[in-house]
Amino acid sequence: MVLQVQTSTYEAKTQEIAKQLLAATQENRSFFSSLRDQMRWDDKLLAWAMSNPGLRVQLFRFIDTLPALHSKSEIASHLQEYLGDESVELPAALKGMLNFANPDSMPGQVAATTVGTAVETLAHKYISGENIKQVIKTVERLRKEKMAFTIDLLGEAVITEAEAQSYLERYLELMQQLVEASKNWTTIPAIDEADGEPLPKVQVSVKLTAFYSQFDPLDAKGSEERVSDRIRILLRRAKELGAAVHFDMEQYAYKDITLSILKKLLLEEEFRQRTDIGMTVQAYLRDSEQDTKDVISWLKERGYPLTIRLVKGAYWDQETIKAAQKHWPQPVYNDKAATDANFENITQLLLENHQYVYSAIGSHNVRSHSRAIAIAESLNVPRRRFELQVLYGMGDKVAKALVDKGYRVRVYCPYGELLPGMAYLIRRLLENTANSSFLRQNLENRPIEELLAAPIVKEEKNSLTPHSHFLGAADTDYAEEEVRTKAKQAFQNVRQQLGKTYLPLINGEYVNPPEFVDSLNPSNFGEVIGKVGLISVEQAEQAMQAAKAAFPGWRKTPAKQRADILRKAGDLMELRRAELSAWIVLEVGKPVKEADGEVSEAIDFCRYYADEIERLDKGVNYDIPGETNHYIYQPRGIAVVISPWNFPLAIACGMTVAALVSGNCTLLKPAETSSVIAAKLTEILVDAGFPKGVFQYVPGKGSQVGAYLVNHPDTHVIAFTGSQEVGCRIYAEAAILKPGQKHMKRVIAEMGGKNAIIVDESADLDQAVVGVVQSAFGYSGQKCSAASRVIVLQPIYDAFVQRLVEATKSLNIGEAEFPSTQVGPVIDANARDRIREYIEKGKAEAEVALELPAPEQGYFIGPVIFSEVSPNAVISQEEIFGPVLAAIRVKDFQEALVVANGTNYALTGGLYSRTPSHIQQAQTEFEVGNLYINRNITGAIVGRQPFGGFKLSGVGSKAGGPDYLLQFLEPRAVTENIQRQGFAPIEGAD
């Protein structure tokens, strides 16, 4: 719904109040001229950032890195790397300061000191103290100015259970000390009482997700239980002390579950009558007005009011980017005016319901505050039920003017070490320097009419769209409750089909094979997923003859028609998404979210390769006068696809449909342990319309049927994903010309990796630890892209490994079906035993930093981390394909690259760094097919990160990329002389 704030009964009053407030806040001189007078470096940096977007980006990136830099030389060299970038236009004073030859030189040290001090000064503007002592000092100063406060604890991201427990304990300590200090405070009627009722002098603001390190909307029940236990402890202690507690709102993904947990908890008998608790609504969210209405209805039912803090919202960039990357609807408004208009609507909604809710209006926009005051005064809202809030260091003059007019003002005061406080600082700096910021516009002395105008909502422009032309399928957003219910239902439906028999498909008919094998659930090997028929060599020959017979017709089928069948297959997968996910979870033990991502990848392969064949089918013209030259492609013939169990749908689908859409007849031989999912893929390809003999499903033993098809003289293309040993054997066998064979076979083989992530001393450790844990232990390390080595620079090695161990300890290990599970089983008994052997070898070569226990009833192995591992150890060199990680210590970045490149593989690699020169060097020297910088190294997306490696990681082009289909095609050039008796049409001539 497009929001429009009408010029209403409140408008005249809003304008009148706003003009009074503005007059009190505005200075006579412009902001920039006062800056020139002051010549303070922290103010200069802000002013330059406002006037120069290129400088702003690099400066804020530098500030983000600053806490990780431990010497003046490091600060100086990073200053030069960030601000010396060619894209940055530097003010003369800054250019002069950066003009040093060597970071260790005296000018370099001076530059580091000057800028380091300026950033620290800036941080102290917005962060109310580094410890409780400083915070108490700050709040006592605020109280002298008749301002109330709420304290928020800044900290590193909570990624371990130890940190979640510590978060709770630090808040208990904070409340205790504040309440102790408050005993010496004299009562200030303006903020300590209202309508004859005393108000708590101490208030803290907490983040719900920080109470449980594995907080995840998919595991709504588990997250609620773990979080609620800690919140109850906090609320009980707050009551004993007489302190108020407010719950902040964070990213959109957590909104619904946060509101749901709080609503449930605050209806419990113990907490139902409490009125000293609050929750938050963010006006930049499109569904925030509806959320507010729902909370008000719930408060009516509860019978006791609570505070709702209304804010604009602090994660706009993050939410916009995430929605674009995930192809999800954008949860936030694009236009600031739309947020402002929504803010005013919700302000009115809250104040009109003042008998049920206490309103806390948080803003730095004079108009937003004035609007709230105008409504509150018109409705005679009692003082207890309404207050105004500002952030510490922002809108100080507005706050003072509001206090002078007799309103209760509360200042939101974050406190904590500057190191973890940087993310908060950057959000404040972005807010202060954005063109649309009220504070900035006021400082620039914009006309009063412009500053105070009612927000006018323009037609919404499209949100950010990814730059590539291909738009992939959207993963399921498990933050939505109805989606979680649908997933649950899919598991129930699939469970009713367990144990069925799946027959091979040869020449359009399901045939009886000589042998059957049970496919088991690796989470619980007593459960049979399905009985799969394995074909004989004779049946393999029948399939080959059927493919030969179908080929002439299929190759002549227009590319557009083949592409449309493929698109239909993608649409059928989207319709069966929840069911296909459930089959993947149960047959190969992949956790729910990762199974859903795999379905997206399969759909993407269908749609991407359909687009690609239409592009390639046009060919290329190289015409000249009197002659046409056409470069075209034709199918090769018969393709044999040998797919793995670890991506049983996506990789099987990608290799198969690439061959099919290119006009080749295709035989799919899946891994035995994942043949039920391949049977489901078969159903979809048949329903989509692939003719008989064109696609055939031929499960069988690799050593017999697989070898027979690879060596068959009529096989033209072999697409394989699996182990290096088998891949190399296929490559060798395919090279031998068989009797009657009139072509060379093309082999496309993806053969695994020994993937490394480098973490340097400038890395964001919160981000690096989470990324390494996901990359190493997601799907129990059974992805070809998984990290099995983490190479860490000496200065941060011990700190990194310690947090890595704690974060891994906090993972939930269990059946893949459970929504709480992050680490499921390995595929079968052979895999389990092989991994155990590698763990024993590791114990002989390195130190065990962590070995987690695992459940008994399935093929489980708890994550294992080895520390102090030699780069040449067996566990550093050989692919283990399980949840085993080697942490290798190196002295510098150069050595890190040497170690990373020191294996036979070159598939994926990662780097966590905030040093531009390291990032640049890795891009050219890190020998991998897919390099990921400052993110996890798994989960390549079709058309975005085409996937594949080199060295012994594989041969052939990258899956999901623009060259992939070329491997299934043969190029031809057709030249025609179009002259007749010296006459030829000449384009452009009359």
Side-chain angles (χ1 to χ4, degrees):
M1 186 187 87
V2 174
L3 295 163
Q4 177 70 64
V5 174
Q6 302 296 338
T7 308
S8 65
T9 45
Y10 299 126
E11 187 58 31
K13 197 160 190 176
T14 300
Q15 290 289 334
E16 181 194 334
I17 295 165
K19 280 172 184 161
Q20 291 169 13
L21 285 175
L22 206 55
T25 65
Q26 280 189 330
E27 292 181 353
N28 301 326
R29 304 174 303 159
S30 86
F31 175 57
F32 294 109
S33 67
S34 71
L35 269 184
R36 281 193 294 276
D37 294 351
Q38 289 172 11
M39 293 302 280
R40 270 179 49 169
W41 270 94
D42 54 313
D43 286 328
K44 278 185 187 174
L45 289 176
L46 259 189
W48 289 330
M50 282 188 192
S51 56
N52 183 333
L55 173 60
R56 178 165 71 153
V57 169
Q58 290 299 89
L59 181 63
F60 289 179
R61 281 182 173 172
F62 167 74
I63 290 173
D64 174 53
T65 314
L66 192 58
L69 308 177
H70 298 297
S71 72
K72 286 185 180 170
S73 302
E74 282 181 66
I75 294 173
S77 67
H78 280 77
L79 250 182
Q80 266 188 339
E81 284 194 38
Y82 277 102
L83 304 185
D85 192 273
E86 287 170 7
S87 65
V88 181
E89 202 181 310
L90 289 179
L94 205 48
K95 196 180 281 182
M97 193 176 73
L98 291 180
N99 192 20
F100 50 84
N102 184 334
D104 291 320
S105 65
M106 184 54 84
Q109 303 285 300
V110 168
T113 306
T114 307
V115 175
T117 308
V119 172
E120 207 166 302
T121 310
L122 261 180
H124 284 301
K125 274 187 176 177
Y126 303 110
I127 295 172
S128 64
E130 288 189 67
N131 52 49
I132 294 181
K133 205 170 161 188
Q134 289 179 9
V135 170
I136 290 172
K137 217 168 155 184
T138 298
V139 300
E140 287 176 348
R141 178 173 55 76
L142 288 172
R143 285 179 59 81
K144 281 198 180 95
E145 294 169 16
K146 294 186 187 167
M147 292 181 199
F149 64 86
T150 185
I151 307 290
D152 164 49
L153 177 57
L154 294 174
E156 53 208 358
V158 170
I159 55 180
T160 75
E161 276 307 274
E163 287 164 3
Q165 184 58 31
S166 160
Y167 184 79
L168 170 64
E169 286 163 5
R170 287 168 71 195
Y171 263 107
L172 297 175
E173 171 70 5
L174 172 64
M175 290 192 303
Q176 170 83 42
Q177 296 221 22
L178 284 169
V179 168
E180 203 51 51
S182 74
K183 290 174 181 168
N184 302 319
W185 299 342
T186 51
T187 298
I188 299 165
I191 53 174
D192 294 334
E193 52 191 46
D195 309 327
E197 189 186 325
L199 304 181
K201 287 179 181 171
V202 169
Q203 188 189 101
V204 294
S205 287
V206 300
K207 290 173 177 52
L208 201 78
T209 60
F211 290 104
Y212 178 40
S213 64
Q214 309 305 311
F215 192 93
D216 184 354
L218 172 61
D219 180 27
K221 190 168 177 288
S223 296
E224 180 188 318
E225 284 168 8
R226 300 295 288 273
V227 160
S228 299
D229 286 347
R230 286 184 171 134
I231 291 174
R232 288 187 189 99
I233 294 168
L234 182 81
L235 293 180
R236 284 171 194 144
R237 184 65 181 136
K239 187 179 185 183
E240 286 167 16
L241 293 167
V245 176
H246 196 98
F247 292 93
D248 281 332
M249 191 58 80
E250 301 168 83
Q251 287 84 350
Y252 181 69
Y254 304 134
K255 171 181 70 72
D256 288 350
I257 183 176
T258 296
L259 290 171
S260 159
I261 289 171
L262 290 174
K263 283 177 183 176
K264 218 168 182 177
L265 191 79
L266 297 175
L267 278 182
E268 289 175 10
E269 205 46 53
E270 184 181 355
F271 304 112
R272 184 166 189 155
Q273 294 181 24
R274 295 275 291 272
T275 58
D276 55 352
I277 298 168
M279 52 179 79
T280 306
V281 169
Q282 297 160 312
Y284 69 177
L285 294 179
R286 294 167 190 269
D287 44 14
S288 52
E289 185 176 6
Q290 187 56 49
D291 286 338
T292 308
K293 287 176 179 170
D294 294 346
V295 171
I296 290 169
S297 301
W298 170 78
L299 282 169
K300 287 177 181 174
E301 176 202 333
R302 183 176 185 263
Y304 296 90
L306 291 171
T307 299
I308 291 186
R309 175 193 292 149
L310 177 64
V311 296
K312 302 277 167 80
Y315 303 94
W316 188 88
D317 298 65
Q318 205 176 327
E319 299 290 8
T320 309
I321 289 165
K322 184 179 181 180
Q325 287 184 347
K326 293 275 193 184
H327 312 306
W328 288 345
Q330 191 176 305
V332 292
Y333 290 111
N334 284 322
D335 182 26
K336 187 174 181 301
T339 296
D340 288 343
N342 192 37
F343 189 92
E344 294 191 6
N345 281 356
I346 297 174
T347 298
Q348 187 169 332
L349 187 61
L350 291 171
L351 291 168
E352 284 172 352
N353 286 279
H354 60 80
Q355 63 272 51
Y356 310 109
V357 61
Y358 302 150
S359 304
I361 309 300
S363 177
H364 307 111
N365 184 324
V366 166
R367 178 183 165 87
S368 299
H369 281 309
S370 305
R371 184 71 169 189
I373 294 168
I375 298 168
E377 288 186 351
S378 304
L379 298 175
N380 290 321
V381 175
R383 279 190 64 246
R384 168 67 185 98
R385 292 172 180 264
F386 164 64
E387 68 178 41
L388 302 162
Q389 297 194 350
V390 295
L391 289 173
Y392 182 76
M394 309 252 302
D396 296 352
K397 291 186 180 125
V398 178
K400 189 180 181 315
L402 289 167
V403 169
D404 292 345
K405 284 183 73 68
Y407 297 103
R408 183 166 74 251
V409 173
R410 188 176 304 279
V411 182
Y412 184 97
C413 299
Y415 100 92
E417 294 165 37
L418 297 189
L419 178 84
M422 278 301 157
Y424 175 84
L425 172 63
I426 294 209
R427 287 208 299 274
R428 297 292 73 82
L429 295 179
L430 281 168
E431 207 173 318
N432 261 326
T433 56
N435 290 325
S436 55
S437 150
F438 179 88
L439 291 172
R440 175 175 175 171
Q441 291 175 353
N442 188 14
L443 291 167
E444 289 172 346
N445 280 354
R446 297 274 180 92
I448 286 179
E449 295 68 28
E450 191 185 320
L451 279 173
L452 302 182
I456 295 165
V457 182
K458 305 183 198 80
E459 201 56 48
E460 283 246 309
K461 295 190 283 292
N462 282 340
S463 56
L464 284 184
T465 48
H467 291 298
S468 79
H469 68 287
F470 175 72
L471 205 62
D475 290 346
T476 300
D477 183 359
Y478 290 104
E480 296 174 18
E481 193 176 355
E482 62 270 28
V483 169
R484 298 196 294 271
T485 306
K486 194 176 170 186
K488 213 171 178 181
Q489 186 62 52
F491 275 105
Q492 288 168 3
N493 296 344
V494 165
R495 282 202 169 279
Q496 286 166 5
Q497 300 171 53
L498 295 186
K500 283 188 175 177
T501 299
Y502 296 90
L503 299 175
L505 179 77
I506 294 176
N507 201 21
E509 304 290 329
Y510 286 104
V511 300
N512 281 313
E515 189 185 347
F516 286 89
V517 65
D518 287 348
S519 179
L520 307 177
N521 177 355
S523 292
N524 175 7
F525 43 66
E527 188 168 60
V528 176
I529 302 301
K531 294 179 183 303
V532 179
L534 303 180
I535 66 166
S536 63
V537 166
E538 292 72 28
Q539 287 173 316
E541 181 56 34
Q542 289 166 20
M544 192 54 89
Q545 293 311 316
K548 267 178 88 171
F551 180 61
W554 184 239
R555 72 173 292 173
K556 287 178 189 160
T557 304
K560 170 83 174 78
Q561 200 175 321
R562 298 195 302 254
D564 285 344
I565 297 174
L566 207 47
R567 290 191 181 100
K568 187 176 178 191
D571 294 345
L572 290 171
M573 284 181 204
E574 189 62 84
L575 287 172
R576 293 177 65 175
R577 174 188 280 276
E579 176 215 341
L580 290 169
S581 288
W583 283 112
I584 293 169
V585 171
L586 294 173
E587 191 179 24
V588 299
K590 186 172 283 193
V592 176
K593 255 188 205 168
E594 296 186 68
D596 177 73
E598 180 172 345
V599 179
S600 294
E601 188 178 0
I603 296 165
D604 286 350
F605 277 134
C606 292
R607 293 172 179 170
Y608 180 78
Y609 291 148
D611 290 353
E612 280 295 290
I613 198 64
E614 289 178 352
R615 174 178 70 83
L616 293 170
D617 187 53
K618 293 175 186 151
V620 185
N621 290 328
Y622 298 111
D623 297 347
I624 57 171
E627 184 177 280
T628 61
N629 292 287
H630 200 37
Y631 187 80
I632 53 174
Y633 298 98
Q634 67 180 29
R636 285 180 178 270
I638 294 170
V640 171
V641 171
I642 301 172
S643 64
W645 52 261
N646 65 332
F647 282 85
L649 180 67
I651 295 180
C653 174
M655 296 193 294
T656 302
V657 301
L660 288 169
V661 83
S662 305
N664 304 285
C665 290
T666 306
L667 287 73
L668 168 62
K669 193 211 85 62
E672 283 175 47
T673 41
S674 59
S675 293
V676 172
I677 293 156
K680 296 293 161 190
L681 171 62
T682 299
E683 292 170 10
I684 286 167
L685 295 180
V686 169
D687 288 350
F690 285 105
K692 69 176 193 171
V694 168
F695 165 71
Q696 299 176 89
Y697 163 63
V698 289
K701 285 204 161 24
S703 55
Q704 295 163 14
V705 170
Y708 181 77
L709 293 174
V710 163
N711 285 287
H712 201 288
D714 290 320
T715 296
H716 289 76
V717 183
I718 300 149
F720 166 81
T721 299
S723 72
Q724 183 193 315
E725 182 196 346
V726 176
C728 289
R729 190 162 67 239
I730 288 172
Y731 199 69
E733 288 173 0
I736 300 166
L737 207 61
K738 302 295 183 302
Q741 185 178 322
K742 297 174 182 165
H743 57 271
M744 297 302 289
K745 292 175 185 173
R746 166 60 73 95
V747 176
I748 305 153
E750 198 267 272
M751 304 186 293
K754 188 68 190 167
N755 312 306
I757 295 176
I758 296 173
V759 183
D760 80 5
E761 63 271 62
S762 69
D764 176 333
L765 289 195
D766 286 349
Q767 200 182 41
V769 169
V770 170
V772 170
V773 168
Q774 283 174 350
S775 303
F777 304 121
Y779 192 33
S780 303
Q782 299 175 111
K783 298 179 184 180
C784 12
S785 55
S788 55
R789 298 179 296 153
V790 60
I791 300 165
V792 189
L793 269 64
Q794 165 65 37
I796 55 159
Y797 182 89
D798 294 330
F800 177 81
V801 170
Q802 189 185 345
R803 278 196 88 194
L804 178 71
V805 164
E806 285 299 326
T808 307
K809 263 188 205 169
S810 306
L811 296 174
N812 298 315
I813 304 167
E815 293 189 31
E817 190 181 349
F818 297 160
S820 59
T821 294
Q822 283 118 350
V823 181
V826 297
I827 189 65
D828 60 15
N830 288 342
R832 181 194 59 199
D833 297 345
R834 193 192 70 251
I835 296 162
R836 282 179 178 167
E837 282 172 26
Y838 272 111
I839 292 169
E840 289 312 307
K841 284 177 189 169
K843 287 175 179 175
E845 300 180 307
E847 293 174 20
V848 178
L850 177 70
E851 184 174 12
L852 286 179
E856 288 297 318
Q857 82 284 11
Y859 303 118
F860 288 96
I861 289 191
V864 177
I865 298 171
F866 289 104
S867 62
E868 308 300 351
V869 186
S870 155
N872 301 315
V874 171
I875 56 168
S876 299
Q877 289 293 318
E878 294 181 16
E879 186 176 42
I880 300 171
F881 227 61
V884 180
L885 179 65
I888 301 168
R889 188 193 293 262
V890 291
K891 64 178 185 298
D892 57 28
F893 189 66
Q894 198 52 52
E895 188 189 348
L897 280 173
V898 170
V899 170
N901 293 336
T903 72
N904 296 334
Y905 297 97
L907 188 53
T908 63
L911 167 64
Y912 281 92
S913 172
R914 290 179 288 190
T915 301
S917 58
H918 286 180
I919 291 171
Q920 206 173 349
Q921 192 179 351
Q923 286 171 356
T924 53
E925 295 178 24
F926 201 152
E927 293 173 4
V928 286
N930 286 62
L931 175 62
Y932 297 94
I933 297 165
N934 291 326
R935 54 150 284 177
N936 61 323
I937 67 169
T938 58
I941 291 173
V942 173
R944 201 186 289 179
Q945 295 114 6
F947 186 77
F950 49 97
K951 287 166 67 173
L952 287 183
S953 282
V955 59
S957 198
K958 285 169 157 300
D963 318 318
Y964 192 70
L965 292 191
L966 296 178
Q967 303 168 116
F968 297 89
L969 296 163
E970 281 170 327
R972 297 175 61 216
V974 179
T975 297
E976 183 187 355
N977 169 16
I978 55 172
Q979 292 187 76
R980 295 283 187 278
Q981 307 298 338
F983 156 77
I986 298 173
E987 211 173 304
D990 289 335

